[in-house]
Amino acid sequence: MASQRTSSLVEFLRQSKAAYLDAVKAGDARDWTVVMGNEAGDLDSIASAIAFAWYTSKVNDAAAVPLTQTPRADLHLRAENLHAIELVKLNPDTDILCIDDVPASDAFPSSKFALVDHNRLHPRFSRDNPECRVVAVVDHHEDEGLYKDSADPRIVVVPTGSCSSLVACLFEEHRDHMTPELAMLLLCSILIDTGGLKPGGKAEEADRRAASFLAPIASALQDRAVITGLAQPSPENDPSLQGLHATLQAKKASVAHLNTLDLLRRDYKEYSLTPATTPSREILVGLSSVPIGFKSWLPRHHDFWSHTERFMTERGLTVLGILTSFRSEKIGKSGKGKHRREQMYVVRDDEDLAKALFDALEDCEELQLKRKTFPDFGVHKGFGPGFRTRIWKQKNVDATRKTTAPVVKAIIEGRRGIANL
């Protein structure tokens, strides 16, 4: 099936979405390549999926469609995503294909997948889908070593600040296919993921290289004053770019209007693991990243306890980890509050697993967790029977979920040595 002949990004997204859904309805979607980021649905996943689908269509002349695993009703939970999408003249309501736009069925209607911003296909896409195969992987998370015989390209580079950087670098040999809108979308993602390309931060060589490639192209968006001057040789020092980063970060941190259920599902990933304590079963483990601290959250959300129990029960979770990342209200010499992280884990109906997990987390040198009590945050523990919980301050503020997830997996699956690297 030939790619859609379109000249602009918005035309490509609208036409590929419509054509794909028509193909699904006609039972003819097997030849499409579905490009998707991870289920947390951050800007890196969305931008990378859009860019790689465009690349697949334009460079490889193949039918491809970007898919976000975020339900349509949850798109509003990430204001920074909406800001970046609207900045490049896209309409999230008409131009983004969400997981629940695809008609529900026993088996997913397509069999070819390209994974960006993760490197393991979620079981829901392979279930009852015997022809399922992963034809491409571009990622910056821990490499699980899958799809080496089927994925081309297969690019997993750790460490890299943003997956968008790796996707952008694919266009260096195909510059004519990089548009100002796509460059801006990728650049926004890189800025968020690397803290504005701050030296000594999360930015790696691939991120700086990608930003230098994208910035001059993005500057062609003449009617967007926010990017005036982005063609400078060192984007990380450009005032306009840093202003864009500040705006995106402010949008990302603006969550005061969200309730506990919104906060838990806003940036959420789920894993199916086999615990060493009971190897005869699989359990579901969720990790929610939340951009506010527990001291601001828990006393103001009296439904925290009931909403968290509901969140776990509805998803069938045995373990939920809540990972906070925020800045303290006290302003330092830099003009900003100090970066802080905390972790809370809740285990449902498994006392042995709770003890093993909590003890191992406290021994983990990589996370450097310091045990706290709920009164330290102005509340008393309010979970019902069967829910066991513990809460910590995380002293290693550089350890994100990308670091925490492999640690939790190793502990639960009994690979303790990995957790204490």
Side-chain angles (χ1 to χ4, degrees):
M1 183 182 294
S3 64
Q4 295 289 316
R5 301 296 179 183
T6 53
S7 58
S8 73
L9 183 62
V10 65
E11 288 176 354
F12 167 72
L13 291 175
R14 289 179 184 175
Q15 291 182 20
S16 63
K17 175 183 175 181
Y20 177 71
L21 291 176
D22 285 345
V24 170
K25 188 181 297 184
D28 190 29
R30 311 299 289 180
D31 291 332
W32 282 77
T33 298
V34 176
V35 185
M36 58 188 173
N38 65 57
E39 64 190 308
D42 62 0
L43 186 58
D44 198 22
S45 277
I46 291 177
S48 294
I50 289 173
F52 193 78
W54 173 269
Y55 177 89
T56 301
S57 174
K58 299 301 180 182
V59 176
N60 297 338
D61 195 30
V65 62
L67 172 71
T68 175
Q69 295 192 56
T70 303
R72 181 158 299 283
D74 290 352
L75 285 179
H76 75 284
L77 298 179
R78 287 182 174 271
E80 72 278 15
N81 288 7
L82 298 181
H83 181 75
I85 288 169
E86 292 165 0
L87 188 65
V88 298
K89 304 177 183 178
L90 298 180
N91 184 332
D93 294 326
T94 58
D95 304 337
I96 303 298
L97 178 66
C98 294
I99 186 65
D100 50 349
D101 293 332
V102 181
S105 62
D106 292 337
F108 194 79
S110 299
S111 57
K112 291 196 298 184
F113 300 93
L115 308 183
V116 293
D117 204 23
H118 67 311
N119 61 83
R120 177 186 285 274
L121 185 68
H122 194 285
R124 76 164 120 177
F125 299 103
S126 58
R127 189 178 300 118
D128 298 323
N129 193 358
E131 297 179 8
C132 169
R133 60 194 178 102
V134 172
V135 299
V137 174
V138 183
D139 190 25
H140 65 144
H141 294 88
E142 179 186 41
D143 191 352
E144 299 195 41
L146 305 173
Y147 320 120
K148 291 184 176 181
D149 295 333
S150 63
D152 182 21
R154 188 183 187 281
I155 302 168
V156 183
V157 182
V158 181
T160 303
S162 179
C163 183
S164 292
S165 299
L166 301 177
V167 176
C169 288
L170 291 173
F171 285 87
E172 287 182 317
E173 296 181 2
H174 307 278
R175 290 173 179 258
D176 290 346
H177 292 304
M178 178 56 69
T179 73
E181 292 81 9
L182 190 57
M184 176 57 76
L185 191 63
L186 290 167
L187 195 55
C188 285
S189 171
I190 294 169
L191 289 175
I192 288 179
D193 282 355
T194 65
L197 297 164
K198 179 182 176 182
K202 297 178 184 177
E204 300 289 341
E205 177 56 32
D207 303 298
R208 289 184 284 271
R209 175 177 143 195
S212 295
F213 165 59
L214 296 169
I217 302 173
S219 68
L221 290 175
Q222 297 292 346
D223 60 336
R224 299 294 179 178
V226 70
I227 46 80
T228 301
L230 284 191
Q232 292 188 14
S234 300
E236 67 273 16
N237 297 321
D238 182 83
S240 297
L241 187 145
Q242 292 306 320
L244 175 58
H245 171 241
T247 298
L248 290 166
Q249 284 299 126
K251 296 283 186 181
K252 183 177 180 180
S254 179
V255 295
H257 60 295
L258 302 181
N259 64 33
T260 290
L261 285 175
D262 292 335
L263 291 169
L264 291 177
R265 72 181 198 265
R266 176 184 175 275
D267 187 354
Y268 172 76
K269 288 186 179 180
E270 192 172 285
Y271 313 88
S272 179
L273 304 178
T274 302
T277 53
T278 51
S280 61
R281 66 177 179 131
E282 283 194 345
I283 64 170
L284 293 179
V285 176
L287 293 179
S288 294
S289 294
V290 181
I292 58 172
F294 288 126
K295 199 164 188 176
S296 298
W297 182 5
L298 302 185
R300 299 175 188 174
H301 289 242
H302 301 296
D303 55 8
F304 172 84
W305 316 101
S306 61
H307 277 192
T308 301
E309 290 182 8
R310 174 182 162 189
F311 184 84
M312 293 184 69
T313 301
E314 288 180 349
R315 285 163 175 75
L317 298 180
T318 299
V319 179
L320 174 64
I322 304 173
L323 318 178
T324 71
S325 175
F326 60 100
R327 291 193 176 276
S328 62
E329 295 181 1
K330 184 178 179 181
I331 304 301
K333 294 181 180 179
S334 67
K336 297 186 291 187
K338 192 171 182 179
H339 186 202
R340 310 271 188 193
R341 289 188 186 272
E342 303 154 334
Q343 297 201 10
M344 179 196 302
Y345 288 84
V346 187
V347 179
R348 183 169 65 105
D349 296 331
D350 196 326
E351 184 176 359
D352 292 339
L353 177 61
K355 184 178 188 311
L357 176 62
F358 297 164
D359 290 348
L361 284 168
E362 291 192 356
D363 291 339
C364 178
E365 297 174 4
E366 194 167 7
L367 299 178
Q368 300 175 29
L369 299 179
K370 180 181 179 182
R371 187 172 178 180
K372 307 292 283 185
T373 65
F374 283 95
D376 292 332
F377 301 97
V379 295
H380 292 280
K381 184 167 57 176
F383 287 122
F387 290 86
R388 291 169 176 80
T389 186
R390 197 169 292 181
I391 193 168
W392 296 269
K393 174 183 177 181
Q394 181 179 318
K395 297 172 71 176
N396 179 7
V397 296
D398 294 326
T400 64
R401 180 172 55 195
K402 194 161 60 173
T403 301
T404 299
V407 169
V408 172
K409 290 180 186 178
I411 293 171
I412 290 176
E413 294 180 340
R415 298 177 283 119
R416 289 284 295 275
I418 297 176
N420 286 289
L421 291 176

